[in-house]
Amino acid sequence: MTIIISNSLKIKFLGGTLEVGRSAVAIKSRKTQLLIDYGIMIGFEPGFPMHVPPNEVDGIVLTHSHLDHSGTIPIFHIRGKMPVYGTPLSFELAKLLITDLIHISGYYLPFEYLDLQTMMDSCVKTNYREPRKVGDLTLELLESGHIPGGAQAIVESNGKRILYTSDFNSSNTGLLRGADQDYGNIDVLIMESTYASEEHMDRKTVEQRFINRVIVIVERGGTVLVPAFSVGRSQEILCILKKFQFKYSVTVDGMAKDANNILRRYPNYLRDGELFKSALNSAHWIKGWRDRRLATKKPGVIISPAGMLRGGNAIFYMNNISRKKENAIFLVSYQVPNSPGRKLLDTGKFIIRGKTMKVNADVDTFDFTSHCGRKQLIKTAELVGENAQIFLMHGAEENCQRLAKEIKTELGVNAISPSTGDVYNI
Ligand SMILES: [Zn+2]
Ligand SMILES: [Zn+2]
């Protein structure tokens, strides 16, 4: 009897398909199973990727610290160590964000702080372009241009190369260099689709418009509230203000302070470490309620979570800033439908603890994205070539399906938007 041993690789989609959140993919060779990301879906109750028995997993890749990619990894550390591969910076930022997740949603989580600690003890620090063996697979991380420390992953087995872009941005921003797209030969591309139906405005135009608007508000004696996520967007705004030599008060609140203290130690991950350091040195840091109240009373910029005005100190600031018409609220992140930020943009009203508040301050939005837009996504598919199999995930259902269709018709490449649970043989 002849036993045929297949050398084939299997890819299984565990989450983050036809949706944004709980990203997770398994790559399985004959001997090794490697997971890439194991995120969480943040909602009223959190959602998790499909279950994988920990004894069948050889390692996990952490592409970046955002919770939709990192938030459920500690579930693999309940029974002990399990290697996690990522950049040293991603681990530090992930620890910060997952600790915060445990504080806020601990009741709903299947793991606790001790398991996060075991995860941190299991980390295999992996620099960009430094290949690592995981069983019979080889893993290489490439700069993603998305957030500091973020990576794309190339997994290789028997000459077959799979590229998982994770969240990426191929253009330079104030904070980061654009993604490293020197991919070499790729057989399978797994790509994000967050902005598959949108083109981003030219970055320079966005920066100039932002700075002009901020100066107008401050020079009329107003305060500008910039609600921003603590890791990534807050630092981007700090760098832009510094780059344009903004000379008025800049105040930073929330976890961004802890994130900045970490980033200060990793200047090489940033496009211009010196610019970042001098931006940090000239900013004011909120230490308590007194500082917070004072900040709202003087002309300047306040950068504070949350990006979509849900939670953080958003309610305090909105209460104090939105009533006066000389002030402004400038949204710099994507506002998901039904979020307080989206409602503010659509209706000019803000809902505080069930009460609707009329907003007298100016409200505006600026596209400081850290993801590729439609054109860049298509270009990446083109770069990888016509012989690759393409999978699209990390996008709303219609965005994943639409991008698959466009890539197929425009480039003649096989593109699919898989569902969670789908398995493909490569
Ligand atoms: Zn991300
Ligand atoms: Zn993401």
Side-chain angles (χ1 to χ4, degrees), residues 258-272:
D258 303 298
N260 289 339
N261 284 335
I262 295 171
L263 288 174
R264 221 187 256 276
R265 290 186 277 109
Y266 293 93
N268 295 343
Y269 283 84
L270 309 176
R271 187 175 169 200
D272 185 345

Side-chain angles (χ1 to χ4, degrees), residues 64-69 146-147 166-167 370-371 394:
H64 66 290
S65 56
H66 281 159
L67 292 170
D68 58 321
H69 300 256
H146 171 59
I147 61 162
S166 188
D167 298 355
S370 57
H371 292 264
H394 197 292

Side-chain angles (χ1 to χ4, degrees), residues 69-104:
H69 300 256
S70 67
T72 313
I73 294 179
I75 202 172
F76 290 95
H77 299 93
I78 294 172
R79 292 215 195 121
K81 284 190 171 184
M82 158 81 71
V84 183
Y85 302 85
T87 64
L89 176 53
S90 281
F91 285 119
E92 291 207 39
L93 295 174
K95 187 179 179 191
L96 184 74
L97 296 180
I98 300 174
T99 302
D100 190 55
L101 172 73
I102 295 171
H103 282 157
I104 294 167

Side-chain angles (χ1 to χ4, degrees), residues 27 85 90 146 167 198 203 216 247 293-294 301 325 343 355 360 400:
I27 296 179
Y85 302 85
S90 281
H146 171 59
D167 298 355
E198 271 174 66
R203 196 73 174 196
V216 167
K247 54 183 192 298
R293 272 188 292 271
L294 278 175
V301 175
K325 64 177 189 330
K343 282 187 190 144
K355 267 197 254 163
N360 298 316
C400 294

